Amino acid sequence: LAYLENFPGQPGAATLRQLAAALRTTSATLLGAGHEASPGYDPGSACWGSVGQLERLSQAECHQLLAPRGLGRIAFTAVFGLMVLPVNYAVAGGTIVIRVGSGSLIAGHSDGPVSFEADHFGLELGQGWSVLVHGDAHRVLQPDELRHLRAHYDLRPWPSGEHDLFVRIVPTQLTGRRIRSQ
């Protein structure tokens, strides 16, 4: 597999079948079939439709999974209903920190109750985790705190434009789950 990733070519049908069997997937999936589908749906995956073992994560495990930073989703109630939006995040002092534009939808709801979720799923192996944070969001306004965040947390949101507002989510509840295929 490492060889094929580093030196792409056109392996024969027999090689593809052997590789797919070793990875518990299909040849079509290896060739990119279904790449337009939602990431949660992979009928060729070994874990699709199988029964998985679900375990609750401790708070320490939840913190450990969130710590490397990455991509998550923030959820809040807006005038027109529940909103869930993707955000880049970092963990700072046990809180979640995101960076947004001051005129954004998130900025308009950055002082109040929110939920935040981050996860990772490996459909090929039939395993993954999800951590859910409930808490209160607050705009970061203190100059010393803003300097600290800018100096130590390289948050670069994907969308272009000005992202001049840091928002901190202070957890009031932290839960997580891990699933493994059997």
Side-chain angles (χ1 to χ4, degrees):
L1 182 58
Y3 178 82
L4 288 174
E5 286 177 344
N6 291 319
F7 304 100
Q10 294 183 333
T15 303
L16 274 176
R17 281 192 300 274
Q18 288 176 330
L19 186 56
L23 295 173
R24 297 173 48 199
T25 188
T26 66
S27 298
T29 300
L30 288 176
L31 294 172
H35 68 280
E36 299 287 327
S38 172
Y41 179 73
D42 184 2
S45 171
C47 70
W48 188 256
S50 66
V51 177
Q53 179 181 1
L54 188 66
E55 65 183 69
R56 292 192 189 278
L57 299 173
S58 69
Q59 293 225 344
E61 289 172 306
C62 291
H63 284 290
Q64 182 180 15
L65 290 169
L66 289 175
R69 82 175 64 196
L71 183 66
R73 284 159 293 288
I74 187 170
F76 52 89
T77 303
V79 173
F80 40 84
L82 186 62
M83 290 296 303
V84 180
L85 299 170
V87 292
N88 299 74
Y89 76 93
V91 176
T95 65
I96 307 297
V97 178
I98 63 173
R99 189 173 177 181
V100 299
S102 59
S104 68
L105 184 60
I106 294 171
H109 295 85
S110 61
D111 287 308
V114 298
S115 291
F116 174 84
E117 190 263 347
D119 56 35
H120 175 75
F121 292 96
L123 293 176
E124 299 81 18
L125 299 176
Q127 60 188 18
W129 58 265
S130 175
V131 173
L132 180 61
V133 176
H134 295 286
D136 291 311
H138 306 280
R139 294 170 184 248
V140 177
L141 302 174
Q142 298 298 322
D144 289 342
E145 190 176 3
L146 285 168
R147 275 192 293 278
H148 176 76
L149 291 173
R150 284 188 181 103
H152 294 94
Y153 299 94
D154 186 25
L155 278 170
R156 293 188 216 166
W158 285 356
S160 62
E162 188 68 28
H163 299 92
D164 52 350
L165 178 65
F166 282 85
V167 176
R168 181 181 302 277
I169 302 168
V170 179
T172 56
Q173 184 180 14
L174 179 67
T175 58
R177 299 185 292 183
R178 182 184 318 274
I179 190 164
R180 295 188 175 129
S181 66
Q182 296 177 333

